[in-house]
Amino acid sequence: MSEKSVQKKKYIVETARGIFMEKGYKEVTMKDIVEACQISRGGLYLYFSSTKELFEEVLRMEQEDADDVFERSITKEATPAEILALFFKEQKRELLNKKPSLGKAVYEYFFANQIPNRENLLKKQFDAAVYVLENLIMAGVEREEFYCEDPRGYARNIMYVLEGLKIASHTRGISEAAVDREIMFVMQGLLAEE
Amino acid sequence: MSEKSVQKKKYIVETARGIFMEKGYKEVTMKDIVEACQISRGGLYLYFSSTKELFEEVLRMEQEDADDVFERSITKEATPAEILALFFKEQKRELLNKKPSLGKAVYEYFFANQIPNRENLLKKQFDAAVYVLENLIMAGVEREEFYCEDPRGYARNIMYVLEGLKIASHTRGISEAAVDREIMFVMQGLLAEE
Amino acid sequence: MSEKSVQKKKYIVETARGIFMEKGYKEVTMKDIVEACQISRGGLYLYFSSTKELFEEVLRMEQEDADDVFERSITKEATPAEILALFFKEQKRELLNKKPSLGKAVYEYFFANQIPNRENLLKKQFDAAVYVLENLIMAGVEREEFYCEDPRGYARNIMYVLEGLKIASHTRGISEAAVDREIMFVMQGLLAEE
Amino acid sequence: MSEKSVQKKKYIVETARGIFMEKGYKEVTMKDIVEACQISRGGLYLYFSSTKELFEEVLRMEQEDADDVFERSITKEATPAEILALFFKEQKRELLNKKPSLGKAVYEYFFANQIPNRENLLKKQFDAAVYVLENLIMAGVEREEFYCEDPRGYARNIMYVLEGLKIASHTRGISEAAVDREIMFVMQGLLAEE
DNA sequence: CATGAATGAGAGTTCATTCAT
DNA sequence: GATGAATGAACTCTCATTCAT
């Protein structure tokens, strides 16, 4: 594939990404993509032969960008508590739809397609996040900022809560207060000198 | 509406319910319903003019049946811990898809349609469950079975975790061990003499 | 299927028959049919879901009508030689495209689709014709109109020649003289007092 | 056209020939050719602007090679009966698809395109074969191997039978026994001392 | 000459929805 | 009320063909 092709493919993926953000996954048709990209019907099929294929590419791209997000937070000179706070802040922004996101499309996609665990992006991201949180908590415990007897369990609990919140946000909407409340709850659990 | 009509409507809703369980929400077409019900196309339209409308009726019906589920557990002579264990057992069954459920369809529906909070079934059920759990926890604290400083917060935490687990179950699959782990985690948090 | 449906289906098949006669098999699209029948796209799909299916119905219809053709000739009070002459006359008309026919479409269909021998219309018709010809020849021999040592072999030879002529007619065109010549040749073979 | 161009054109024609053998005429697309030849889309169009044009070139090439086939048989020191037997053996191989052939594609082509007699390859080949057979028969009669009053008629009859058999082979399949039977029949007709 | 990305016409197919009976 | 045939919009997908490089 030529350099130009690569560029165009990237352009399509990025344009499509916007559409998926806006309309979710299931509603998007090849026609939508074609129109948004201002290319011909056949032209699109040169690169992707279904919205599924296209969305999977969007996902792949997303993943590449995503990996460093966490690292950015961590490499900074900050206490575990600060990093955690930052992490929650970031999550909160997304939960409240302050920044447009693929969230809804991603869930629709995974509802519509049974993806085996091995390649399941959702699972991978979840597990990765649990791993980072666990380390963060352990570091906090070490420094006596946190108190926690089961860091991995706690990390998982946090992630499931966040997933629950995300779903709530997409299916009913959620108030800032509600998000804060949940974040406070898990934070307090860590800080509590019990 | 005549008695016969009411019967027929009910029949349609119940048949449709089965289809939604099987195929989710988005994939179901009016044709699917018509065929499953063995009625005429036009006949269906006399009662429902879209799968959306139909699904909403399914949901309404579901809700009526659902309310007593909890009560059944509670009215028994059992300690809060026992009732909670029962509640979790029930949840676990659904999480592991041991019993067919509308779960997937419900999420698909709420992803596809923005439903205002007031009438949002998902929210109502969530809030109701939180309320019951909260009372349960308070009762447990009273009897010194549980230890908990923020029953409502804890109840909410539990419900968000369950929602997270449910999503995990629908989008990636989840192992029994994973469910048990999470249940254990929140149970231990209540029992811990801290 | 209602009476009206049956009528409409028949109407479609008959209209399609005309198109197949005109354009052959492979060139015909569902759109052609739709336009010729003046029905809607979806309407056609109610009855047939491909030109193949439709053509097969045309074929089936054709077959029903065809069976008696031979019998008509035979039940008459005529000598075998006369009947044979009549048969050839009929064949000639078709060979020279004096009457529009499905011939071309039929061949295109059987070229495009490998049909097992059992259900193969072409084979059935061929075998049936051989059988009738054989009996005709035997009857002629009995009456000493014909001379033939191997009626079945002769019948088969005739049919293969006719098939060859038919192909010639469709792929290159054939002159009346050429047809006559071949018919004469096989006729003479039967009549020759050798 | 440069030497290189001529080579390339030849290469395309030969590759295409293989595809036509495999898929017939109508099913083959320019894309198929392009892929099989591993050349560019535009590149193909420099030489041929349709599958029709390309197939016609294949046909032309075929014809050049074909002419000597017969001669090979004839120049040998063999009796007419032996040559004829050889000829039938060759025909039989093709009829039974023992060797891959353009047969099906050729018929599809001539069904799809009305080609005037003058340039019609099928007619030319037929007439040529009749001519050779006629001479062969006459030679046989001379040597008293054969008995035949109308060599040309007989030659034509043979060729039409062979054409019929070929069609049968492509549209229904034909057994070796059936082929043998027909060949025997025409052979016997020649040998019969009547 | 050669490439292969791009085009757009057009075939196929499905579905929600209507309406005469 | 009930039927189911009919409609037509919308979508998917493929191909011959062109054209800038």
Side-chain angles (χ1 to χ4, degrees), chain A residues 67-186:
Chain A
D67 290 344
D68 23 66
V69 172
F70 243 127
E71 270 148 52
R72 252 181 292 145
S73 317
I74 292 187
T75 49
K76 281 174 186 159
E77 294 195 5
T79 67
E82 283 166 348
I83 295 173
L84 195 59
L86 228 74
F87 168 72
F88 280 135
K89 200 174 159 194
E90 186 80 5
Q91 295 290 317
K92 192 176 143 185
R93 274 191 68 212
E94 205 178 311
L95 282 169
L96 298 175
N97 292 317
K98 292 259 164 79
K99 79 172 178 204
S101 105
L102 279 173
K104 197 178 130 186
V106 168
Y107 281 120
E108 283 187 6
Y109 169 80
F110 282 100
F111 270 103
N113 303 286
Q114 224 48 273
I115 308 295
N117 253 343
R118 288 292 109 174
E119 318 139 28
N120 192 301
L121 178 65
L122 235 36
K123 179 161 176 52
K124 274 195 210 159
Q125 290 187 341
F126 187 91
D127 289 344
V130 167
Y131 180 73
V132 176
L133 277 183
E134 184 188 355
N135 285 326
L136 208 55
I137 294 172
M138 289 195 299
V141 169
E142 195 115 317
R143 292 160 129 264
E144 299 195 340
E145 282 186 331
F146 295 155
Y147 175 87
C148 181
E149 285 184 335
D150 177 5
R152 176 167 303 172
Y154 212 95
R156 264 197 311 255
N157 179 275
I158 289 174
M159 285 310 298
Y160 278 118
V161 168
L162 284 175
E163 186 128 34
L165 282 167
K166 217 180 276 183
I167 293 302
S169 133
H170 285 303
T171 56
R172 356 181 171 144
I174 196 167
S175 68
E176 182 163 1
V179 177
D180 284 338
R181 219 160 32 196
E182 291 317 308
I183 292 178
M184 275 320 255
F185 185 86
V186 294

Side-chain angles (χ1 to χ4, degrees), chain A residues 27, chain B residues 12-13 16-17 19-20 23-34 44-45 47-60 102 105 108-109 112-113:
Chain A
E27 290 297 305
Chain B
I12 294 174
V13 173
R17 187 171 167 273
I19 304 177
F20 285 122
K23 305 185 66 169
Y25 169 69
K26 289 240 72 170
E27 290 298 304
V28 175
T29 69
M30 291 301 260
K31 201 184 161 210
D32 292 330
I33 311 286
V34 155
L44 176 55
Y45 274 85
Y47 298 95
F48 303 98
S49 56
S50 67
T51 53
K52 183 164 177 276
E53 212 172 299
L54 181 42
F55 187 71
E56 281 160 1
E57 190 61 33
V58 170
L59 239 39
R60 219 164 293 136
L102 278 174
E108 283 186 6
Y109 169 80
N113 304 285

Side-chain angles (χ1 to χ4, degrees), chain C residues 1-66:
Chain C
M1 207 186 279
S2 74
E3 173 58 24
K4 217 182 135 203
S5 273
V6 172
Q7 283 310 311
K8 179 139 189 192
K9 187 164 184 172
K10 208 172 163 189
Y11 163 70
I12 293 175
V13 173
E14 271 158 13
T15 308
R17 188 170 166 274
I19 304 178
F20 284 123
M21 277 179 174
E22 196 188 313
K23 306 185 64 168
Y25 169 69
K26 290 238 72 171
E27 291 298 303
V28 176
T29 70
M30 290 302 262
K31 204 186 159 211
D32 291 331
I33 311 285
V34 156
E35 275 161 14
C37 295
Q38 309 227 63
I39 57 174
S40 66
R41 268 174 140 50
L44 176 54
Y45 275 87
L46 241 41
Y47 298 93
F48 301 99
S49 55
S50 65
T51 52
K52 183 164 178 275
E53 210 174 300
L54 183 42
F55 187 71
E56 280 159 3
E57 191 61 33
V58 170
L59 239 40
R60 218 165 294 135
M61 197 185 77
E62 205 71 359
Q63 197 174 4
E64 283 163 23
D65 299 355

Side-chain angles (χ1 to χ4, degrees), chain D residues 6-25:
Chain D
V6 172
Q7 284 309 311
K8 185 152 182 186
K9 189 163 182 172
K10 204 173 165 188
Y11 163 71
I12 294 173
V13 173
E14 271 159 12
T15 309
R17 188 172 167 273
I19 304 176
F20 284 122
M21 278 181 173
E22 200 187 310
K23 306 184 66 170
Y25 169 69

Side-chain angles (χ1 to χ4, degrees), chain A residues 26-27 163 172 194, chain B residues 26-27 156 163 172 194:
Chain A
K26 290 238 74 174
E27 290 297 305
E163 186 128 34
R172 356 181 171 144
E194 296 165 275
Chain B
K26 289 240 72 170
E27 290 298 304
R156 265 198 310 257
E163 185 126 37
R172 5 189 162 138
E194 296 166 271

Side-chain angles (χ1 to χ4, degrees), chain B residues 127-147:
Chain B
D127 289 344
V130 167
Y131 179 73
V132 176
L133 277 183
E134 184 188 354
N135 285 327
L136 208 54
I137 293 171
M138 289 195 299
V141 170
E142 195 114 318
R143 293 160 130 263
E144 298 195 341
E145 280 186 332
F146 295 154
Y147 174 87

